[in-house]
Amino acid sequence: MRIAALPNGEFQLEGRSLTRILSFLSPVAFRLRDLDCPASFAVPKLSVLSSGAKVNGNRIEYESLRVEFDDELNFQVYVNGVKALASRPYKPAELTHDDVDIAKKEGHENGSADSSIGGLSFEFNGPVYGLGDKTGPLNKQGYAYINWNTDDPHPHVETFKSLYKSIPFLLLFKPELTVGLFFDNTSLCRFDIEKEDPDLVTYGYSDGSLDLYCFFGAMPDVVSDYTSLVGRNPLPPRWALGAQQSRWGYLNERDVLEVVEGYRKADIPLSVIYLDIDYMDRYMDFTVDKSRFPDMAALTGKLAKEGVHLIPLIDAGVKVLDGYKIYDEGMENGYFSTLDGEVYHNEVWPGDAVFPAFINPKVQAWWSDKVADFLKETGIGGIENDMNEPASFKGPLPLEVEMGGLPHKLAHNVYGHCMDKATYEGFVKAGKRPYVITRAAYAGTSRYAGAWTGDNNSIYDHLRLSIPQLANLSLSGFANIGVDVGGFGGDCPDHLMQRFINASILSPVLRNHSSIGTRHQEPYAFDEKTAEIYRKAIMTRYELIPTIYDNLFLSLSSGLVVLRPLVYNFPEAKETYNDNSAIMLGESLLLAPSLMAGEIKRAVYFPDDFYSYADHVLYKKGWNLIEADERSLNLFVRDHSILTLNPVGTKTTDFQSVLRLLWTGNEAACYHYEDAGDGLGYTKGEYNLYLIQADEEHGLSIVPVHLGMPSHYKEVLIETFDGRTIRRDFVLKD
Ligand code: GLC
């Protein structure tokens, strides 16, 4: 093989039968691609280092990285002389088995054929994380998955190969050196994670070409480098961190007001109500059924006074109806997807439906105008993008459907991504802080939208699934995320809701959502015991909002993961590698909820000393048996940490005039972020960032890192777990 340095800093690799390009993104990351890679949806802007890399025969060396190739361009990577990654020729991700057709007769869908046209395998035997919110445990070892955005309403269990999102980012975890692999290809892709061969991780793509990014380092650095490439979740408005209530079936203004009233009577704070498809006129996007919501702007204005924001749902499919503005404009301008030159029809909620050709930037600009107008006309706070896989009721869209410059087979996994981009841009046009949550996504959709994990069920399996799903989605670059609390499908028993809310208080998107036709799931629709447990959980959540907001800011500014599997913070502790039943927010909060019906106690592995948040009991590092019944809000604070909190009893998401600091142990530090809570001022520097530091000798100090606006704070309350409370004026140290 031969390596030639190109004038732009890239390297051309000539193998016996193929040619590829390698470029360094940093001293710990490179990209390896085929010659004919299309423009990326995930990577908005790529700067290649015109590095001082040296070519030496079949190897390229750059600082601590050395990449060696053989004649077939298989490669080995060494970091500081230690072998970190070795590729092997592609081995099919999933084997086809003989006689599988007979199993289909009884309804079994085993062993689908592998249609990959290329790929790579990597030598690896160890924990693998990432891949978005796929089903199954945290560690994906032993599983195979397919990236093809899929709306499948059956209960999501670990035999599912695909869900709504396709995020081709994997972490091959080793405590000392983790490898991040990002396979930027939008076609149907397959992953075999040490399933067929326990020593191989295999990736195959069904169309397009190889475009691989490899990152090396500690797990947090690898994730941060990946998100700095594909983009990070914008900061949500602070109100969105409050309690959110949703249900498919709030039919009219009265239903919405009843929710507000129900929460008020139950004495539970509420910040967001979602409007599902019911608010629309015959399920037509950007319309409001005036007979049921006579004046949406007046309603949003009225609710805003009570601190409640409305978030309507928008679907990808557009109703076919002459005289409906969106349909007419789309038809006039050729903005809908086509098949053989004709506009392609399928069926979604509005019946006969067509699909905006979202890949086309002109269609995105048109849609973003509609979003901006809708935001201005109605005063809504955010938008939920749904059915954007795209979902369809009359069979899947043919692979040849043209979606604005790409056939469906390449557009499918980025269809929702482009809808989210258009929606995000609509907020920017309207001068509002974007709040978009999406069901479908690709790598880099994080630049535009947060996400929820789609249609889970009111079952204990899905309560348990929520932890690894949110952890892996976080590691795949999404910060502003949540699951449908209580479960979307099915009837939620009281004891499940009690546990679900306790298990969800750290999720940035804390949304209770359920399907039409199921038992009502608002907290006041259950018995008084459930309402009481819900109230306690939500009141704790409102205390935690400053910490959650701080972490969302740090994720945007530094790529730090918000919801973390324990392994992220404690890579040396083997007990964390397969921990599917606890999750952390940032560095110091740990939640180990009750996850089983009738459970009374459970085991928790604490990778450090932790205190219980509620009663300040110290749990020493190691295995502990803890109370875990339906009332247990098992939230713990790490020793030697500082938490930023709202005063006890806070019922709004507004910044308070008192900043509470909970200080455990001795030496500790954290950042605190403050802004207007909404609007785009923070993007122009209108925010304050503080470094809060403490130790026994010097006490606690608040050091400004950035001051860009007047502070909300007048007082600071320093609390320690040994019972001391110090109240003092909010004074900054120079
Ligand atoms: C989809 C969404 C769900 C929504 C329903 C009706 O199933 O995932 O959240 O309630 O459509 O719009």
Side-chain angles (χ1 to χ4, degrees):
M1 67 90 51
R2 247 172 32 86
I3 303 177
L6 301 174
N8 66 353
E10 296 187 310
F11 295 91
Q12 183 149 329
L13 318 168
E14 298 284 351
R16 204 182 346 240
S17 53
L18 77 166
T19 303
R20 283 190 169 143
I21 303 285
L22 182 138
S23 45
F24 289 97
L25 313 182
S26 79
V28 285
F30 66 82
R31 177 188 188 199
L32 180 70
R33 63 175 174 93
D34 283 339
L35 291 175
D36 54 350
C37 280
S40 172
F41 288 86
V43 180
K45 196 168 90 222
L46 186 67
S47 34
V48 171
L49 288 184
S50 52
S51 63
K54 287 196 204 69
V55 176
N56 181 357
N58 66 338
R59 56 170 73 162
I60 311 179
E61 289 176 65
Y62 180 50
E63 300 204 4
S64 54
L65 278 187
R66 188 171 90 229
V67 195
E68 293 183 1
F69 293 90
D70 70 12
D71 286 343
E72 296 306 330
L73 300 191
N74 299 307
F75 60 95
Q76 310 212 341
V77 185
Y78 295 81
V79 178
N80 291 319
V82 178
K83 189 162 139 189
L85 187 67
S87 83
R88 296 252 213 105
Y90 173 67
K91 194 168 165 190
E94 195 173 344
L95 301 179
T96 48
H97 301 275
D98 296 339
D99 300 331
V100 286
D101 284 351
I102 188 137
K104 289 206 171 78
K105 296 200 166 150
E106 206 196 354
H108 305 290
E109 291 290 337
N110 301 334
S112 64
D114 183 352
S115 55
S116 302
I117 59 162
L120 277 177
S121 294
F122 296 90
E123 292 172 14
F124 193 69
N125 182 323
V128 173
Y129 307 112
L131 269 182
D133 56 355
K134 295 274 191 277
T135 57
L138 175 69
N139 174 2
K140 299 302 183 198
Q141 236 178 323
Y143 288 81
Y145 295 100
I146 295 174
N147 267 4
W148 184 254
N149 291 355
T150 302
D151 170 29
D152 185 341
H154 293 100
H156 304 156
V157 290
E158 65 206 67
T159 49
F160 264 48
K161 298 261 181 284
S162 311
L163 271 182
Y164 310 90
K165 302 173 186 65
S166 294
I167 307 181
F169 178 64
L170 272 75
L171 292 157
L172 313 189
F173 171 77
K174 281 197 192 138
E176 66 288 4
L177 183 66
T178 290
V179 181
L181 299 174
F182 168 40
F183 303 95
D184 194 3
N185 178 313
T186 64
S187 73
L188 183 151
C189 294
R190 286 164 184 272
F191 299 86
D192 183 300
I193 320 284
E194 305 163 51
K195 177 182 77 87
E196 290 296 331
D197 183 332
D199 296 314
L200 282 187
V201 169
T202 290
Y203 156 74
Y205 53 91
S206 63
D207 207 322
S209 42
L210 182 84
D211 194 355
L212 165 67
Y213 295 80
C214 302
F215 305 87
F216 304 87
M219 192 205 252
D221 296 334
V222 167
V223 176
S224 167
D225 288 351
Y226 163 70
T227 56
S228 108
L229 183 74
V230 301
R232 296 169 180 155
N233 270 170
L235 199 60
R238 204 166 188 261
W239 51 255
L241 303 183
Q244 304 190 345
Q245 182 62 52
S246 179
R247 179 169 171 85
W248 178 8
Y250 295 146
L251 295 180
N252 49 39
E253 184 169 314
R254 200 190 58 230
D255 286 352
V256 171
L257 294 173
E258 268 176 24
V259 174
V260 178
E261 185 58 10
Y263 267 83
R264 198 189 57 74
K265 278 200 185 136
D267 197 21
I268 302 172
L270 174 69
S271 298
V272 175
I273 300 180
Y274 284 77
L275 300 176
D276 207 299
I277 46 174
D278 323 275
Y279 77 92
M280 299 182 205
D281 176 10
R282 287 165 285 171
Y283 306 133
M284 291 188 285
D285 286 334
F286 306 115
T287 67
V288 174
D289 184 337
K290 290 270 175 358
S291 69
R292 290 179 291 119
F293 289 88
D295 189 343
M296 189 64 92
L299 179 64
T300 54
K302 180 173 166 181
L303 294 178
K305 289 201 187 98
E306 308 194 35
V308 177
H309 301 260
L310 284 187
I311 301 184
L313 177 152
I314 299 278
D315 281 321
V318 166
K319 185 173 176 67
V320 174
L321 182 68
D322 287 328
Y324 164 38
K325 201 168 160 209
I326 304 291
Y327 176 70
D328 289 348
E329 284 182 16
M331 288 301 284
E332 268 161 41
N333 294 296
Y335 285 165
F336 295 124
S337 302
T338 56
L339 184 61
D340 301 329
E342 302 287 326
V343 171
Y344 174 77
H345 290 233
N346 202 306
E347 191 184 313
V348 208
W349 303 122
D352 191 11
V354 290
F355 299 84
F358 276 123
I359 309 301
N360 178 352
K362 277 195 190 144
V363 176
Q364 292 170 19
W366 168 64
W367 195 262
S368 68
D369 284 341
K370 302 294 152 205
V371 169
D373 291 347
F374 196 53
L375 290 168
K376 287 187 221 152
E377 282 158 20
T378 57
I380 53 168
I383 286 181
E384 176 191 6
N385 277 339
D386 195 21
M387 308 295 270
N388 51 352
E389 293 71 34
S392 49
F393 298 163
K394 277 193 179 158
L397 278 65
L399 293 178
E400 299 72 35
V401 168
E402 207 282 331
M403 303 185 116
L406 271 190
H408 181 216
K409 64 180 171 177
L410 287 169
H412 182 83
N413 285 339
V414 281
Y415 188 82
H417 173 93
C418 293
M419 181 185 183
D420 296 328
K421 175 170 183 270
T423 309
Y424 170 89
E425 281 162 2
F427 278 80
V428 176
K429 279 183 184 167
K432 275 179 82 86
R433 187 182 293 195
Y435 189 70
V436 185
I437 67 161
T438 185
R439 197 171 73 172
Y442 181 68
T445 307
S446 42
R447 297 198 292 284
Y448 312 118
W452 91 105
T453 57
D455 298 347
N456 62 355
N457 275 244
S458 299
I459 55 176
Y460 274 90
D461 276 341
H462 283 178
L463 167 63
R464 287 187 284 273
L465 175 65
S466 68
I467 292 179
Q469 263 193 321
L470 293 177
N472 276 320
L473 189 53
S474 301
L475 294 177
S476 309
F478 285 77
N480 190 40
I481 51 175
V483 305
D484 285 349
V485 174
F488 172 75
D491 299 323
C492 185
D494 298 32
H495 50 86
L496 177 59
M497 180 46 96
Q498 294 155 8
R499 289 184 168 85
F500 233 123
I501 191 64
N502 281 338
S504 303
I505 54 159
L506 297 182
S507 301
V509 179
L510 179 54
R511 178 176 89 145
N512 175 332
H513 181 47
S514 56
S515 176
I516 197 163
T518 62
R519 177 183 181 182
H520 264 269
Q521 234 167 253
E522 300 80 10
Y524 50 83
F526 295 88
D527 61 7
E528 180 44 40
K529 176 180 168 189
T530 311
E532 188 192 317
I533 290 170
Y534 209 101
R535 186 181 307 118
K536 189 174 147 220
I538 294 293
M539 291 308 289
T540 304
R541 162 67 170 221
Y542 278 68
E543 286 180 34
L544 298 176
I545 283 176
T547 288
I548 299 174
Y549 202 53
D550 291 346
N551 274 279
L552 285 163
F553 173 77
L554 291 174
S555 108
L556 176 62
S557 57
S558 324
L560 288 166
V561 167
V562 175
L563 280 180
R564 306 176 178 182
L566 275 54
V567 58
Y568 181 97
N569 284 336
F570 299 96
E572 299 297 335
K574 285 203 171 52
E575 294 84 347
T576 64
Y577 299 176
N578 292 291
D579 192 336
N580 291 286
S581 65
I583 195 154
M584 293 189 71
L585 183 123
E587 280 177 9
S588 37
L589 276 174
L590 186 151
L591 189 68
S594 172
L595 297 168
M596 308 277 284
E599 192 172 35
I600 297 168
K601 286 183 190 286
R602 58 161 285 185
V604 180
Y605 179 75
F606 288 108
D608 196 352
D609 291 353
F610 277 81
Y611 292 90
S612 63
Y613 180 80
D615 47 19
H616 312 179
V617 174
L618 177 65
Y619 291 87
K620 298 299 273 182
K621 177 177 171 176
W623 284 103
N624 283 266
L625 189 65
I626 62 164
E627 303 292 319
D629 67 14
E630 68 279 17
R631 288 189 184 273
S632 314
L633 184 61
N634 285 331
L635 183 64
F636 302 90
V637 188
R638 192 174 174 179
D639 200 10
H640 304 298
S641 59
I642 302 174
L643 281 185
T644 59
L645 298 170
N646 275 329
V648 175
T650 301
K651 287 185 176 168
T652 89
T653 56
D654 294 344
F655 277 92
Q656 302 293 295
S657 59
V658 177
L659 174 65
R660 237 177 105 208
L661 299 174
L662 180 64
W663 173 22
T664 61
N666 185 356
E667 252 180 76
C670 76
Y671 283 100
H672 179 52
Y673 172 79
E674 183 189 17
D675 67 7
D678 204 347
L680 294 168
Y682 82 99
T683 62
K684 299 178 208 118
E686 291 164 23
Y687 67 90
N688 300 332
L689 183 67
Y690 312 100
L691 174 62
I692 306 177
Q693 288 169 308
D695 63 47
E696 285 293 348
E697 197 185 333
H698 305 97
L700 184 144
S701 65
I702 303 173
V703 184
V705 178
H706 175 95
L707 289 181
M709 56 173 271
S711 177
H712 301 94
Y713 300 121
K714 299 208 164 27
E715 262 187 346
V716 47
L717 203 60
I718 303 162
E719 293 171 18
T720 62
F721 273 170
D722 57 17
R724 279 177 294 157
T725 297
I726 306 154
R727 182 180 282 277
R728 67 177 204 212
D729 290 345
F730 184 74
V731 183
L732 301 177
K733 197 175 161 191
D734 292 332

